[in-house]
Amino acid sequence: MNVMNVKQQVIEIIADQALLDPSDISLDSTLDSLGIDSLGLVESIFAIEEAFDISIPFNANAPEDSDFDISNVASIIAGIDKLIAQKG
């Protein structure tokens, strides 16, 4: 799987949750700025885990305790790339 596919798929999943067009999402967009609430975040994580067959170490009840950085779209993509590489 190449890096572009990961980036495109993650942006499409997030766009779907935010009810936006993928072109409206930039790498420095935060989930808050896209209008994604905690439920949308959980749904996005489930969709990403399913799409890439990975397990994201994220606790929705204690996001600050998570090793997975969700501060912006680029951080999410970088984290997913790392998980895919570890799975590799």
Side-chain angles (χ1 to χ4, degrees):
M1 182 176 303
N2 72 33
V3 175
M4 194 59 187
N5 280 348
V6 172
K7 179 181 164 189
Q8 284 176 318
Q9 270 190 281
V10 171
I11 288 174
E12 285 173 15
I13 289 167
I14 291 170
D16 191 47
Q17 285 302 322
L19 303 175
L20 295 170
D21 191 86
S23 64
D24 294 332
I25 296 176
S26 69
L27 292 177
D28 59 356
S29 296
T30 64
L31 298 181
D32 277 348
S33 74
L34 298 171
I36 295 178
D37 61 10
S38 56
L39 179 61
L41 169 61
V42 170
E43 289 177 355
S44 297
I45 287 176
F46 282 145
I48 290 167
E49 286 179 330
E50 197 172 288
F52 298 105
D53 190 28
I54 57 174
S55 180
I56 296 175
F58 181 80
N59 181 343
N61 297 322
E64 64 282 352
D65 294 342
S66 176
D67 288 339
F68 194 78
D69 183 358
I70 58 162
S71 57
N72 61 30
V73 174
S75 301
I76 294 169
I77 292 168
I80 292 165
D81 283 337
K82 194 168 142 187
L83 290 169
I84 291 170
Q86 287 170 352
K87 182 184 145 198

